[in-house]
Amino acid sequence: MHDERRRIEERVQRAHDQRIKPAIYAATVPFEVEAWQAPGEPVSFEEAAAARYTPFAMDTPWGPPWGTTWFRMRGQVPAEWAGKRVEAVIDLGFVGDWPGNQAEALVHLPDGRPLKAVNPLNQYVPVANPATGGEQIDYLVEAASNPDILKDNFSKITPMGDKLTAGSAPLYTFQRADLAILDENVWHLDLDLQVLRELMVHLPDHEPRRHEILHALDRAMDALDLDDVAGSAAAVREVLAPVLAKPANASAHTISGVGHAHIDSAWLWPIRETKRKTSRTFSNVTSLADEYDDFIFACSQAQQYEWVRDNYPHVWARIQDSVKKGQWAPVGGMWVEADGNLPGGEAMARQLIHGKRFFIEHFGIETKGVWLPDSFGYTAAYPQLAKLAGNDWFLTQKISWNQTNKFPHHTFWWEGIDGTRIFTHFPPVDTYNARFSGEEMDRAVRNYSEKGGGRRSLAPFGWGDGGGGPTREIMERARRLADLEGSPKVVVEHPDDFFAQARAEYPDAPVWVGELYLELHRATYTSQARTKQGNRRSEHKLREAELWATTAALHAPGYSYPYEKLDRLWKTVLLHQFHDILPGSSIAWVHREAEAEYARVAEELEALTAEAVAALGAGGTRAFNTSPFDRAEVVRTGDRALAYVEVPANGSAALTGAEPARPVGVSGRTLDNGLVRVEVAEDGTLSSVFDLRAGREVLGDKGNLLRLHTDLPNYWDAWDIDSHYKNRYTDLLEPTSVEVVSEDPLLGAIRVTRAFGKGSTITQTITLRAGSPRIDFETDIDWHEAEKILKAAFPVDVRAAHSSAEIQFGHIQRPTHTNTSWEAARFEVSGHRWVHVGEPGYGVAVLNDSTYGHDVSRTVREDGGTTTMVRLSLVRAPRIPDPEADQGTHRFTYSLLPGASIEETVAEGYSLNLPLRVADAAGAPEPVVSVDGQGVTVEAVKLADDGSGDVVVRLYESGGGRASGVLRTGFPLAGARITDLLERPLETAPVEDGGVAVQLRPFQVLTLRLSRAGVS
């Protein structure tokens, strides 16, 4: 037989594109269209309905950046269309190939009810099936002219990322607004051809099935009347029916399709636009559910549900109906799809708590899995937190983006830092916007790593980010692929069903231990430093407000615990932990608003804390310690005078004039407090840090060396830092001034000022306090660089086999060598309040109050000693998608802690991030809780969310070993129960001698619910 593949494939392609597809709509009549440009921000339907509209013609430009244009569309179904399937077809002038990053619209009925959205790949609105003829159609269409921010494929900066800089020129040209007859025979033929042709081209040449399909397509084209596509469509489909009816192989892979519409809660659009994106997509989804009984849609992010509930009650009601029918599956159990590395431990717990509670309260459904397809790596704390929230499974997709190493599993058990395991799946289709194309189906099977162990994988399908979600075309593809020879089988089902079956067929799946590190997007630990600082400060201020509000509620008559305010503020912080806000990868508008929100949150939390402390009474100056560790520190009083105070964990103490053992001595550029001696060189670096307690030098080279690197990644500017950044740099070694600014016996300080680059300045106050070995670098930067990253380096004279970095409820160890490509790929990593390096008997920590990115490396000096280099990433200057990212002022502190154990490092990390609060108070009761025993760390103290008056305490083991102790209370204790994260009792905790005995395995998180005597 002659090889005619090329002829046939080209024949099919042309006939499909030029004859069949244009014939899907058999006849059209245009709408009469009028328009009204809403001024400023979006308006309500009622305001839009009352506006004055003017005639609008097709092919007319419309839509300034971030604008809203309302279109009134009126039409009548012709009488001769009776019995036909009639739809409205609307093309706003869609551009490019990204359906979720451009114009979108929501179609309303005259009474204000949202009907369906219009999107680039979902342009129809159902009118009648069948039509009776003569129907009057009246729509009010809210169209958003969102700019295509990345239309130049990351190659050009753009001012379009903020309404303040985007201009007003129209972005789109309206193309079509018609009533049309959908020819269902032609539409189905179009799908038959697409599915078969895509299957064919991805089958190997030697497969008989490929050639069988090829010749069936050729015969089908013979049956097609090019002059009467509609009239011959049924006959063509009959030719194709036999090849579409052949069942899949008995051993065919099974793909569980789950409807999905990944909607970033903010990214290349502001939060206000996400609220509208959700309404549009969810309108589409509920409309599709009415049409396809076998359709199931999985949707995460409780925050987005709440937006729809509050702003689109009709859409909310339709969602509730779909949930009851089993077609809508709330998943994920988190407030938003948060970043997987940067949120603090308690914040990550609250993501799960608030998300799961929302779905339980509003749908009576407890979600069973963590759904995070798009976050940029995943902390090793996740398995334990997920299980403590009642989850059985974990799903992500993003690890498929690895730059260097292919992750070895798709279905596996993921083991966290405490030993908890959770069943985990990475869809081998390598997308969370699947459409069941032939390429995707081939990739899913070819890519699947568990062949021979498992036989199924999951594929989230639908257009995301406002692209409209799943479509009827994708559902039709799924139906054709349900049992088709040469293809994997496709079944549309709930993700819980997939995970149950996958676990049952592969219970002994392999185990991956530790973090799921994404070998890409490493710069998200640093970009948009002010957003990250706002998050860190908010997390700690929330802890502070809850602790002192609890103290006041227990001991101050008449004080009322601020449940609603704290709930609202937590949700604001949780929202901004979304995986394109907190990582710093959004447009300028998003980060401008985030910074303003963090400032508002800080002001409100400061007021709540002050109110709680004031409720304890007035009469003397006291220091309040929100840290879970006892502290002896130098503080500034209300008149800025210095004082030394010793304060118990979670408690307070009067400023009684206690004195440290040794004052700080300042001599030239040397600071000495009897614990450490710090020498500052003429160039402003540290020439020596000598640990007087251990009798050893801490540094192996210049300390606090500031190095400015060129930072132009290959592709994703705000997201990535590529390893070549290390090759070009400038060391900042020419200070403007080095001067002593404090010689107080309690605090010595030397200030170093530098000017560099394009008008940037950095001022650092190097501070040593009495009684503490911690050296602080209080830093003020006025930053005006572009495509640069600033690092602060500490070359530590220890031979460290690994570094330890704090993560949520514990820490993770990473090798300092680069023996394999896996270690080499971790050239930039994340941590929270500290990173620690050490050798047996001696360790050094670098602490921070708002920095997350760092790198650790190791070299051997000429003298044979080893220098372990710890470098903090301080600030970056990407230009895409925000051309002004990080420009301007920054203020933060980082610290060097010589001679530190892990336990001391943990304590100092809390101290740096939770400064002592000095306030007027007559006296304070005992701490709400205290712990006898080491290693048991109190993370949160609050009243139970149900208003019962119970006290909830979250504890964890912070050192990486076993810990035991007794939790004691500052109130009469009636009983204690161990609960899950949602404060639901699991078992009774033993109460002995007025305290609760606690035993923890390494890094175990434990939530205790304490009932108070005399409170019913």
Side-chain angles (χ1 to χ4, degrees):
M1 182 180 292
H2 299 301
D3 185 355
E4 294 195 283
R5 285 176 296 175
R6 180 176 177 181
R7 175 190 65 79
I8 297 171
E9 289 173 10
E10 290 176 350
R11 180 191 188 192
V12 172
Q13 186 71 55
R14 182 174 186 184
H16 171 264
D17 294 349
Q18 297 183 10
R19 295 292 191 273
I20 296 170
K21 207 160 192 66
I24 289 175
Y25 286 109
T28 63
V29 294
F31 278 103
E32 292 182 4
V33 182
E34 297 176 304
W36 173 69
Q37 178 65 48
E41 286 295 280
V43 302
S44 67
F45 173 86
E46 290 73 20
E47 183 176 344
R52 296 184 63 180
Y53 288 72
T54 57
F56 184 89
M58 294 299 98
D59 297 319
T60 298
W62 71 278
W66 305 113
T68 301
T69 306
W70 287 78
F71 296 98
R72 175 160 277 143
M73 299 181 183
R74 293 189 173 100
Q76 183 176 12
V77 177
E80 60 269 24
W81 288 8
K84 305 294 185 181
R85 181 172 180 174
V86 178
E87 299 178 343
V89 184
I90 301 169
D91 183 346
L92 301 172
F94 300 116
V95 297
D97 59 358
W98 190 347
N101 188 34
Q102 54 173 293
E104 305 170 46
L106 182 60
V107 179
H108 298 78
L109 294 173
D111 61 4
R113 284 178 296 158
L115 183 59
K116 186 181 173 295
V118 174
N119 309 92
L121 298 173
N122 198 344
Q123 298 180 14
Y124 76 97
V125 179
V127 172
N129 185 23
T132 59
E135 292 95 335
Q136 296 288 334
I137 309 302
D138 189 352
Y139 293 149
L140 206 58
V141 180
E142 179 189 25
S145 46
N146 301 330
D148 183 357
I149 299 294
L150 300 182
K151 67 177 182 179
D152 294 311
N153 201 29
F154 294 90
S155 64
K156 296 179 182 178
I157 63 172
T158 174
M160 289 291 180
D162 197 325
K163 63 178 180 178
L164 302 180
T165 58
S168 59
L171 297 177
Y172 300 97
T173 300
F174 212 119
Q175 296 296 310
R176 181 179 188 182
D178 294 331
L179 285 168
I181 296 173
L182 177 70
D183 189 319
E184 294 189 68
N185 265 332
V186 178
W187 181 64
H188 280 291
L189 173 59
D190 168 68
L191 288 158
D192 290 346
L193 285 173
Q194 289 187 54
V195 168
L196 286 172
R197 181 182 175 280
E198 291 174 6
L199 171 61
M200 174 187 69
V201 299
H202 288 283
L203 286 170
D205 287 344
H206 65 267
E207 283 287 342
R209 175 66 166 161
R210 173 172 182 147
H211 298 274
E212 179 185 37
I213 295 172
L214 179 77
H215 290 283
L217 290 172
D218 198 26
R219 293 192 300 273
M221 293 303 96
D222 291 340
L224 179 67
D225 186 342
L226 297 178
D227 296 320
D228 186 10
V229 172
S232 60
V236 178
R237 294 195 69 204
E238 287 182 11
V239 174
L240 296 176
V243 288
L244 281 167
K246 286 202 169 183
N249 298 328
S251 59
H253 185 78
T254 297
I255 293 178
S256 296
V258 180
H260 185 231
H262 177 80
I263 302 177
D264 285 324
S265 290
W267 180 29
L268 304 178
W269 48 86
I271 287 173
R272 71 91 151 140
E273 194 56 32
T274 312
K275 295 177 181 179
R276 301 202 295 178
K277 283 177 179 285
T278 55
S279 70
R280 300 176 195 126
T281 293
F282 294 173
S283 295
N284 284 352
V285 169
T286 52
S287 177
L288 192 64
D290 290 339
E291 191 172 354
Y292 289 86
D293 292 339
D294 53 340
F295 173 61
I296 295 177
F297 179 72
C299 185
S300 66
Q301 306 198 78
Q303 172 69 88
Q304 295 185 2
Y305 287 75
E306 184 174 83
W307 285 335
V308 173
R309 182 199 67 188
D310 294 344
N311 298 297
Y312 298 90
H314 294 294
V315 179
W316 173 248
R318 287 158 61 180
I319 291 172
Q320 290 180 308
D321 288 342
S322 291
V323 171
K324 291 176 183 176
K325 295 175 183 176
Q327 291 186 278
W328 185 297
V331 295
M334 297 178 70
W335 191 247
V336 295
E337 289 185 11
D339 180 84
N341 289 309
L342 305 181
E346 188 61 24
M348 194 162 279
R350 302 296 176 100
Q351 288 282 357
L352 292 159
I353 291 165
H354 283 291
K356 293 202 68 157
R357 280 205 184 125
F358 185 92
F359 295 132
I360 291 170
E361 176 183 351
H362 294 285
F363 301 115
I365 289 175
E366 179 162 358
T367 55
K368 291 298 182 183
V370 177
W371 182 278
L372 276 177
D374 191 32
S375 291
F376 311 145
Y378 306 90
T379 170
Y382 250 127
Q384 179 179 199
L385 294 176
K387 296 290 281 187
L388 287 174
N391 292 295
D392 297 327
W393 54 262
F394 188 98
L395 177 135
T396 183
Q397 176 65 64
K398 202 69 173 189
I399 301 298
S400 68
W401 286 41
N402 270 5
Q403 192 176 46
T404 305
N405 299 285
K406 178 179 172 59
F407 194 82
H409 311 299
H410 286 103
T411 300
F412 60 100
W413 290 96
W414 180 20
E415 182 178 312
I417 53 173
D418 73 310
T420 299
R421 292 178 178 179
I422 192 165
F423 196 72
T424 302
H425 182 69
F426 293 169
V429 71
D430 280 357
T431 180
Y432 42 81
N433 297 308
R435 61 184 186 91
F436 299 130
S437 68
E439 178 187 7
E440 291 170 349
M441 297 298 93
D442 177 64
R443 180 170 64 244
V445 176
R446 182 167 27 88
N447 197 29
Y448 184 57
S449 299
E450 308 334 308
K451 297 181 183 74
R455 292 175 52 189
R456 63 183 67 242
S457 64
L458 186 143
F461 65 86
W463 305 109
D465 285 334
T471 64
R472 60 187 180 185
E473 288 78 14
I474 300 177
M475 281 300 298
E476 289 293 337
R477 284 174 172 269
R479 287 180 169 182
R480 286 162 174 77
L481 295 171
D483 191 13
L484 182 62
E485 184 185 356
S487 170
K489 298 178 181 178
V490 173
V491 55
V492 177
E493 62 182 348
H494 195 294
D496 284 349
D497 294 333
F498 161 77
F499 274 95
Q501 295 169 79
R503 181 171 175 174
E505 76 173 8
Y506 200 21
D508 57 346
V511 176
W512 179 268
V513 179
E515 68 181 329
L516 296 173
Y517 177 85
L518 177 63
E519 295 175 0
L520 200 71
H521 294 0
R522 304 167 181 92
T524 59
Y525 316 143
T526 306
S527 296
Q528 299 285 3
R530 285 183 293 268
T531 296
K532 290 175 171 59
Q533 184 175 77
N535 174 74
R536 178 79 69 83
R537 301 282 168 82
S538 296
E539 289 179 346
H540 288 84
K541 284 183 178 295
L542 280 162
R543 173 198 177 95
E544 189 176 27
E546 287 184 335
L547 173 65
W548 300 115
T550 302
T551 305
L554 296 179
H555 300 290
Y559 177 83
S560 180
Y561 189 83
Y563 289 102
E564 293 183 1
K565 290 180 180 179
L566 287 170
D567 181 80
R568 173 174 47 79
L569 291 166
W570 260 117
K571 287 176 178 175
T572 299
V573 174
L574 298 180
L575 164 61
H576 288 85
Q577 291 177 341
F578 178 76
H579 66 252
D580 275 307
I581 303 178
L582 182 52
S585 49
S586 289
I587 56 173
W589 189 345
V590 172
H591 292 289
R592 173 169 57 82
E593 290 191 332
E595 290 174 33
E597 279 291 276
Y598 284 131
R600 183 188 64 76
V601 167
E603 182 179 5
E604 193 166 349
L605 285 171
E606 188 67 25
L608 287 178
T609 301
E611 180 184 357
V613 170
L616 297 173
T621 304
R622 299 181 69 85
F624 291 79
N625 177 17
T626 310
S627 164
F629 295 91
D630 297 341
R631 293 160 73 172
E633 289 188 16
V634 175
V635 298
R636 292 193 182 275
T637 61
D639 59 0
R640 304 297 293 169
L642 295 172
Y644 184 78
V645 63
E646 297 176 352
V647 197
N650 302 311
S652 68
L655 302 185
T656 58
E659 294 292 337
R662 284 278 303 270
V664 179
V666 181
S667 176
R669 294 189 303 273
T670 301
L671 308 174
D672 187 332
N673 67 357
L675 302 174
V676 294
R677 183 174 63 245
V678 180
E679 297 180 14
V680 179
E682 289 186 9
D683 62 14
T685 63
L686 303 186
S687 57
S688 173
V689 174
F690 195 82
D691 188 336
L692 297 167
R693 301 160 301 171
R696 61 181 286 171
E697 174 61 43
V698 175
L699 300 177
D701 204 339
K702 292 178 182 290
N704 193 38
L705 173 66
L706 298 175
R707 178 166 286 180
L708 186 68
H709 290 269
T710 297
D711 179 21
L712 182 66
N714 290 344
Y715 195 55
W716 302 77
D717 287 26
W719 292 258
D720 285 349
I721 179 169
D722 288 326
S723 60
H724 54 252
Y725 88 93
K726 296 180 180 180
N727 301 335
R728 188 173 181 85
Y729 58 84
T730 300
D731 290 340
L732 306 185
L733 295 174
E734 298 180 3
T736 305
S737 64
V738 179
E739 58 182 332
V740 175
V741 292
S742 175
E743 297 181 84
D744 192 287
L746 292 179
L747 185 151
I750 296 173
R751 182 169 297 153
V752 180
T753 303
R754 306 178 189 276
F756 61 94
K758 298 180 179 180
S760 298
T761 60
I762 180 168
T763 300
Q764 293 194 302
T765 304
I766 304 168
T767 303
L768 184 66
R769 293 171 175 81
S772 173
R774 194 180 89 197
I775 307 155
D776 291 343
F777 301 84
E778 299 169 9
T779 303
D780 289 273
I781 300 179
D782 188 13
W783 181 250
H784 298 287
E785 304 308 299
E787 297 171 348
K788 298 289 191 293
I789 184 170
L790 182 64
K791 292 257 187 178
F794 291 94
V796 180
D797 187 10
V798 297
R799 182 171 175 80
H802 60 261
S803 65
S804 299
E806 186 187 43
I807 63 172
Q808 300 83 354
F809 296 109
H811 59 266
I812 187 171
Q813 294 182 343
R814 301 180 176 107
T816 54
H817 62 73
T818 54
N819 283 355
T820 73
S821 58
W822 292 89
E823 286 93 27
R826 286 175 167 84
F827 58 82
E828 182 80 2
V829 292
S830 66
H832 284 201
R833 291 171 289 214
W834 54 265
V835 56
H836 180 277
V837 294
E839 60 192 21
Y842 195 82
V844 179
V846 178
L847 316 168
N848 72 83
D849 71 357
S850 59
T851 301
Y852 294 87
H854 68 273
D855 67 84
V856 180
S857 58
R858 199 173 69 177
T859 59
V860 177
R861 305 187 300 271
E862 290 185 3
D863 64 4
T866 298
T867 297
T868 300
M869 180 74 76
V870 179
R871 303 199 310 162
L872 294 182
S873 301
L874 302 183
V875 64
R876 293 187 74 231
R879 299 195 296 169
I880 299 172
D882 175 6
E884 297 297 318
D886 280 316
Q887 299 299 300
T889 59
H890 302 268
R891 173 170 289 183
F892 52 84
T893 299
Y894 57 88
S895 308
L896 182 69
L897 185 64
S901 65
I902 289 290
E903 181 183 15
E904 291 165 334
T905 301
V906 171
E908 286 297 328
Y910 275 102
S911 295
L912 179 62
N913 283 271
L914 288 164
L916 292 173
R917 170 179 292 269
V918 177
D920 185 58
E926 295 180 45
V928 176
V929 293
S930 58
V931 178
D932 296 338
Q934 294 189 345
V936 180
T937 302
V938 176
E939 177 63 17
V941 178
K942 58 189 286 293
L943 290 190
D945 292 337
D946 61 6
S948 63
D950 289 351
V951 176
V952 171
V953 181
R954 192 127 41 235
L955 312 161
Y956 73 105
E957 195 288 315
S958 58
R962 294 187 181 273
S964 61
V966 177
L967 182 79
R968 303 201 181 277
T969 63
F971 57 88
L973 179 64
R977 288 166 289 177
I978 298 172
T979 74
D980 65 4
L981 290 185
L982 278 67
E983 301 173 11
R984 299 176 296 194
L986 300 174
E987 59 182 278
T988 300
V991 176
E992 301 174 2
D993 299 326
V996 183
V998 176
Q999 291 188 335
L1000 300 176
R1001 65 179 182 269
F1003 300 130
Q1004 181 181 356
V1005 177
L1006 183 70
T1007 304
L1008 293 175
R1009 183 172 182 139
L1010 311 175
S1011 54
R1012 297 150 54 197
V1015 177
S1016 58

